[in-house]
């Protein structure tokens, strides 16, 4: 079972290693970089190469974007299977959506054959989205089998678009259109284009709004760190701020309009939120490194948590799996230092943490927690 997000490729990045000519390697590293086909000729020391690379994980998806994914079910066995049903659901904080193009069963799937599907969804909610893919089939012996896979991705930031129209019969000079955020948010205006040291308005030099003309203003909102870290504060309906509009008519009369507090339905983080407090940017291959996780109880009940650490193809956890973390009260959090190592070079995704609430026998899985760049040092520490 394979799921791949359909996104545009990015430029390949490498880690250039250089030294001075009088050092022991001499011009060895320089010659190796010049022979590397992924580097730019004449600029081998730049990290950004000229080759394209496909995305290695789901990454972040922003509010308003369309999430597209390719799903493939492949028969790796030597036997033909029958009555194959592939389902793809998207679980958000408020609803579960069926994204499958067809809910009809496939009569048979021969060995080395596959079933392909492409799904699309316009993201309209912020927070964690979980793609739940399930496959059911019948073997030649008549046995009905079923398995599921979960793929999680995160949406970041909130974009507010305000549309302002001049419904009078005379032109208006738009003196100011700003968003005053509430105490929980920081705001960034996206209505200027940076040119050198100064910003130029996207509407041009003239700030006049002709009769019946319309302008659209865009703002980016991010929760302040002190509120984003507190469980339950950003949950539910919250105010995000109010628009302040100031204009002048053609004879200089001044007008001002301030809206009431704008509201949005912000998602929750589920019962248990896991965030990273500390992680290195770059680590050495097959050398243990430390991270610090923060576990927050976002529910209204006390939890008794057990931590399990599951190794992946490239990430290996150091320590005992199945640790008792103890009881965590509502809205309380605990800091958890962990040690792990990577056996594969490149940009690796940290995955494989699982929390279980022993009171309700409920399990929470955390994949793609963060990413770390794994490099292979050209000299060992002993030398």
């Amino acid at each position: 079972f394979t799921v791949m997000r359909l996104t545009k490729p990015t430029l390949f990045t490498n880690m250039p290693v250089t030294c001075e000519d009088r050092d022991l390697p001499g011009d060895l590293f320089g010659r190796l970089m010049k022979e590397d086909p992924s580097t730019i000729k004449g600029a081998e020391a730049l990290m950004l190469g000229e080759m394209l690379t496909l995305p290695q994980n789901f990454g972040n998806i922003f509010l308003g974007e369309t999430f597209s994914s390719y799903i493939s079910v492949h028969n790796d066995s030597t036997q033909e299977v029958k009555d194959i049903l592939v389902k793809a659901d998207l679980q958000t904080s408020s609803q579960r959506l069926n994204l499958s193009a067809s809910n009809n069963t496939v009569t048979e799937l021969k060995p080395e054959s596959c079933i392909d599907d492409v799904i699309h969804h316009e993201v309209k909610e912020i927070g964690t989205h979980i793609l739940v893919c399930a496959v059911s089939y019948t073997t030649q012996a008549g046995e009905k089998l079923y398995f599921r896979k979960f793929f999680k991705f995160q949406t970041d930031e909130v974009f507010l678009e305000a549309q302002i129209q001049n419904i009078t019969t005379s032109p208006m000079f738009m003196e100011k259109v700003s968003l005053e955020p509430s105490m929980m948010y920081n705001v960034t205006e996206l209505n200027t284009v940076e040119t050198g040291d100064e910003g130029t308005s996207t509407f041009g030099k003239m700030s006049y709004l002709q009769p019946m003309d319309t302008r659209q203003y865009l703002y980016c909102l991010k929760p302040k760190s002190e509120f984003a870290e507190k469980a339950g504060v950003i949950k539910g309906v919250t105010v995000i701020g109010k628009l302040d509009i100031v204009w002048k008519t053609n004879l200089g009369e001044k007008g001002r309009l301030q809206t009431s507090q704008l509201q949005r339905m912000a998602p929750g983080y589920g019962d248990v939120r896991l965030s990273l407090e500390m992680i290195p940017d770059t680590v050495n291959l097959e050398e243990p490194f430390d991270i610090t996780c923060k576990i927050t109880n976002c529910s209204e009940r006390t939890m008794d948590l057990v931590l399990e650490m599951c190794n992946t193809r490239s990430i290996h956890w150091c320590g005992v799996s199945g640790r008792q973390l103890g009881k965590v009260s509502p809205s309380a959090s605990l800091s958890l230092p962990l040690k792990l190592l990577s056996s594969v070079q490149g940009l690796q995704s940290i995955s494989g943490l699982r929390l279980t609430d022993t009171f309700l026998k409920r399990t929470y899985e955390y994949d793609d927690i963060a990413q770390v760049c794994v490099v292979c040092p050209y000299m060992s520490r002993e030398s």
Side-chain angles (χ1 to χ4, degrees):
F1 195 97
T2 304
V3 174
M4 182 177 70
R5 180 186 173 191
L6 298 178
T7 58
K8 294 181 180 179
T10 57
L11 288 174
F12 176 80
T13 56
N14 59 0
M15 298 294 293
V17 180
T18 60
C19 67
E20 296 183 2
D21 294 338
R22 64 175 180 269
D23 290 338
L24 182 61
D27 63 342
L28 174 63
F29 296 142
R31 286 189 285 107
L32 290 176
M33 286 192 294
K34 289 181 180 179
E35 296 171 0
D36 190 341
S38 66
T39 58
I40 300 176
K41 303 307 177 185
E44 291 81 6
L46 290 177
M47 293 184 61
L48 201 62
E50 59 184 357
M51 296 181 65
L52 294 177
T53 179
L54 293 175
Q56 302 299 310
N57 51 57
F58 273 66
N60 286 332
I61 301 175
F62 295 97
L63 202 66
E65 290 185 345
T66 298
F67 166 68
S68 301
S69 182
Y70 165 75
I71 298 176
S72 177
V73 178
H74 187 265
N75 185 1
D76 292 333
S77 69
T78 58
Q79 299 181 1
E80 182 181 296
V81 294
K82 299 180 179 180
D83 301 330
I84 306 98
L85 179 61
V86 182
K87 290 186 64 178
D89 294 340
L90 188 65
Q91 178 70 57
T92 70
S93 59
S94 62
Q95 58 183 333
R96 189 183 183 104
L97 304 170
N98 181 18
L99 303 184
S100 301
S102 174
N103 292 322
N104 299 326
T105 58
V106 178
T107 306
E108 60 183 21
L109 185 63
K110 296 181 179 180
E112 300 303 324
S113 299
C114 60
I115 301 173
D116 300 325
D117 192 11
V118 176
I119 59 175
H120 304 279
H121 173 68
E122 184 179 345
V123 179
K124 298 180 180 179
E125 295 183 46
I126 193 173
T128 301
H129 289 54
I130 301 175
L131 184 64
V132 184
C133 299
V135 180
S136 61
Y137 60 96
T138 304
T139 64
Q140 287 185 341
E143 183 181 6
K144 294 185 177 181
L145 299 179
Y146 171 85
F147 69 93
R148 290 192 303 173
K149 278 193 174 184
F150 300 87
F151 304 90
K152 183 187 299 184
F153 59 90
Q154 184 81 17
T155 60
D156 292 336
E157 303 175 346
V158 180
F159 290 91
L160 172 69
E161 184 181 38
Q163 188 178 77
I164 298 176
Q165 183 180 24
N166 178 9
I167 60 173
T168 68
T169 57
S170 59
M172 283 185 178
F173 173 75
M174 305 305 297
E175 186 172 294
K176 184 181 75 169
V177 179
S178 62
L179 177 66
E180 298 179 3
S182 68
M183 60 178 296
M184 297 182 183
Y185 292 92
N186 291 319
V187 63
T188 303
E189 290 195 17
L190 303 177
N191 304 308
T192 56
V193 179
E194 298 297 330
T195 55
D197 297 334
E198 298 181 357
T200 305
S201 173
T202 55
F203 308 110
K205 296 181 179 180
M206 304 300 293
S207 296
Y208 287 98
L209 193 60
Q210 298 296 329
M212 304 311 296
D213 280 359
T214 301
R215 280 185 182 177
Q216 291 171 303
Y217 294 83
L218 186 63
Y219 304 90
C220 177
L221 289 152
K222 292 183 180 179
K224 293 182 180 179
S225 57
E226 59 265 30
F227 295 106
E229 291 297 324
K230 293 181 181 180
V233 174
I234 306 295
K235 282 186 176 181
V237 178
T238 60
V239 293
I240 59 175
K242 51 189 176 182
L243 280 173
D244 189 15
I245 307 169
V246 180
W247 69 91
K248 291 181 179 179
T249 64
N250 53 359
L251 293 179
E253 294 92 346
K254 194 171 185 179
R256 182 179 182 182
L257 173 65
Q258 193 172 70
T259 67
S260 58
Q261 287 287 351
L262 306 175
Q263 294 184 341
R264 65 175 288 269
M265 181 66 72
Y269 294 106
D271 290 341
V272 184
R273 184 187 182 195
L274 187 144
S275 58
L276 275 178
E277 290 188 318
M278 188 278 293
I279 182 173
D281 294 329
T282 305
V283 299
N284 290 333
L285 181 69
E286 297 182 348
E287 290 187 12
F289 61 94
D290 297 313
I291 66 172
T292 303
C293 296
K294 184 178 181 180
I295 299 174
T296 305
N297 182 357
C298 299
S299 69
E300 299 178 354
R301 54 183 173 81
T302 300
M303 292 183 173
D304 186 21
L305 298 177
V306 175
L307 174 68
E308 296 179 78
M309 301 179 292
C310 307
N311 294 334
T312 63
R313 183 183 65 87
S314 59
I315 295 296
H316 306 272
W317 296 93
C318 305
V320 179
S321 182
R323 292 169 51 187
Q324 292 280 347
L325 302 182
K327 296 180 180 179
V328 182
S329 303
S331 300
S333 60
L334 57 90
S335 184
L336 186 65
L338 298 172
K339 189 181 291 291
L340 63 158
L341 61 87
S342 176
S343 59
V344 180
Q345 294 185 62
L347 191 63
Q348 302 300 326
S349 176
I350 296 178
S351 302
L353 288 183
R354 182 185 302 157
L355 290 171
T356 302
D357 181 12
T358 59
F359 286 158
L360 294 182
K361 306 298 181 184
R362 189 174 294 174
T363 300
Y364 309 90
E365 296 186 359
Y366 300 92
D367 294 321
D368 293 329
I369 303 169
Q371 292 181 332
V372 64
C373 182
V374 183
V375 298
C376 181
Y378 65 91
M379 287 186 178
S380 63
R381 289 186 175 180
E382 288 78 6
S383 59

